[in-house]
Amino acid sequence: PTTQTTGTGLNDATFAGPFIGTGGPTTYSVKITSIGSVASGTTDKFSYSKDNFVTTLGDFQNAGSTWTSQTVQWGAGASNDDWRSVASNQDLVIAVGRQGYMTKSTDGGETWSTPTSISSSTSVDLNDIIYIESVAKWIAVGNNGSGTGDIRISSDGTTWTQSSSLPTQSGTHPQNYQSVAAGNGKVVISAGGMGSGGGQLIYIADETNLNSWTGVTISSSLGTHKRGVATDGDGTWVVVCGAGSIIYSTNNTTSWSVAAPAGGGAAPFSDDWTLCEFVNGSFIIGGFGGKLMYATSAQVASNSWNDLAGTGITSRPYLADFCNGVYIIADSVWGNPSNLVRSTTLASGTNNWSTV
């Protein structure tokens, strides 16, 4: 549930409840359901509800252990119901995908609106979406299927406009915008796709001006896939590429370096990276065959990465997150979900990870 700032009902002496939070767009009730003990090594458990526990929505300690599948069918004229990215701002959640389609949820993902296209052209594919809190704007990126990238901007998640100044195009398929991230006043788009590469593979803008972009040219030897970009919000950025390479900046996009992540004594990974996220203080990257590595910002600067093995991820990892003390990583096989795993610690070992 949304983080709350004020509320009533919690007894400080006995920690009884429920606590009724009133600091967000949705009111949640939170109560303790069991008391842990040091002797048994157990912890207190909390559950939460939106209707004062007529219905219980979940258990904080078991976050990510159970999942509910949601089917959101596209409207007439949509030929490819392929959702590619999701982002949230408190209870408002937006998912985007093929043919410019998007769907919204205003109750934290429990129900979804009828999908509509934010583009008049069915050739537009949206690959990623984020919410930039500092300027209260949504930005979605993708391509229009005919050699031009596509950047859409919205203040409310309903009305979308195309960036009036698209980045300059060059090379083969650098206009296929794959991923976008924001932090420390900057927005970075990673570009590239199928086909021989080269050209400007990173595009940068200030968060306050999403209509003015600067391209950064990187060697074409980095492969044709630039699928992910992430930042720690404090000046370190990582972009994952093909051929086992990453591009990184430690001075908030002023300059960029190329590296082949090394760690664990193994030879550098030589296939395509497919995942790049910054979660709970670490960058997590992943690639073909279930390869996973992680590093703090300081470790990125020294190209000192840690292998993450034994997770149960075996194909192409695409998602990593951290919520309520739990890490979640997922992979897919050509767009079809394959594995979803969870752990309370970011460390190798089958004893640390469980399949959901």
Side-chain angles (χ1 to χ4, degrees):
T2 303
T3 301
Q4 309 299 328
T5 55
T6 59
T8 59
L10 187 66
N11 185 312
D12 290 335
T14 62
F15 210 46
F19 171 81
I20 309 298
T22 58
T26 298
T27 296
Y28 287 94
S29 303
V30 180
K31 69 178 181 180
I32 192 168
T33 54
S34 66
I35 303 293
S37 71
V38 175
S40 63
T42 58
T43 59
D44 298 343
K45 288 188 176 182
F46 301 84
S47 58
Y48 63 95
S49 170
K50 289 204 300 185
D51 53 16
N52 202 20
F53 293 97
V54 173
T55 303
T56 299
L57 296 178
D59 181 334
F60 287 131
Q61 273 63 33
N62 290 328
S65 60
T66 58
W67 293 76
T68 300
S69 175
Q70 296 276 17
T71 299
V72 184
Q73 188 61 47
W74 292 21
S79 59
N80 292 287
D81 50 352
D82 181 5
W83 297 112
R84 296 188 171 182
S85 181
V86 63
S88 65
N89 171 33
Q90 296 188 337
D91 276 356
L92 178 57
V93 187
I94 300 178
V96 297
R98 293 285 296 276
Q99 298 179 318
Y101 270 79
M102 62 154 285
T103 180
K104 295 191 297 182
S105 172
T106 57
D107 55 14
E110 292 184 54
T111 59
W112 295 84
S113 66
T114 299
T116 57
S117 181
I118 64 176
S119 170
S120 59
S121 171
T122 58
S123 63
V124 170
D125 290 336
L126 297 175
N127 296 322
D128 199 11
I129 182 174
I130 61 171
Y131 180 75
I132 308 175
E133 188 172 359
S134 63
V135 293
K137 290 187 182 297
W138 301 83
I139 178 171
V141 301
N143 69 88
N144 71 356
S146 61
T148 303
D150 205 289
I151 302 172
R152 304 287 171 138
I153 304 165
S154 176
S155 296
D156 58 9
T158 300
T159 302
W160 294 81
T161 58
Q162 189 176 50
S163 175
S164 60
S165 177
L166 292 174
T168 302
Q169 311 299 316
S170 63
T172 303
H173 293 289
Q175 66 282 351
N176 185 7
Y177 306 150
Q178 296 282 335
S179 182
V180 59
N184 206 31
K186 297 292 185 180
V187 182
V188 174
I189 296 173
S190 64
M194 301 302 290
S196 58
Q200 295 171 311
L201 301 179
I202 303 173
Y203 298 100
I204 305 166
D206 292 331
E207 290 182 346
T208 55
N209 187 359
L210 300 177
N211 286 311
S212 179
W213 296 85
T214 300
V216 177
T217 301
I218 305 294
S219 168
S220 60
S221 63
L222 300 182
T224 59
H225 302 277
K226 288 81 192 171
R227 285 200 174 98
V229 56
T231 179
D232 63 356
D234 196 33
T236 297
W237 296 78
V238 174
V239 178
V240 293
C241 308
S245 298
I246 67 167
I247 310 165
Y248 68 95
S249 172
T250 58
N251 53 18
N252 206 32
T253 76
T254 300
S255 61
W256 295 82
S257 302
V258 177
F269 183 62
S270 60
D271 213 326
D272 288 343
W273 294 111
T274 57
L275 166 71
C276 184
E277 300 284 359
F278 184 80
V279 294
N280 196 36
S282 294
F283 289 90
I284 300 178
I285 60 177
F288 278 28
K291 177 69 173 180
L292 288 162
M293 304 185 81
Y294 66 96
T296 64
S297 299
Q299 289 174 323
V300 169
S302 62
N303 193 32
S304 178
W305 290 77
N306 307 284
D307 280 311
L308 187 58
T311 62
I313 294 296
T314 59
S315 185
R316 302 185 299 171
Y318 274 106
L319 177 149
D321 209 343
F322 180 84
C323 182
N324 292 332
V326 176
Y327 292 94
I328 297 290
I329 301 178
D331 67 0
S332 70
V333 180
W334 298 111
N336 298 311
S338 179
N339 297 297
L340 182 64
V341 299
R342 66 190 298 271
S343 175
T344 57
T345 182
L346 192 60
S348 296
T350 54
N351 58 315
N352 292 322
W353 294 85
S354 60
T355 300
V356 178

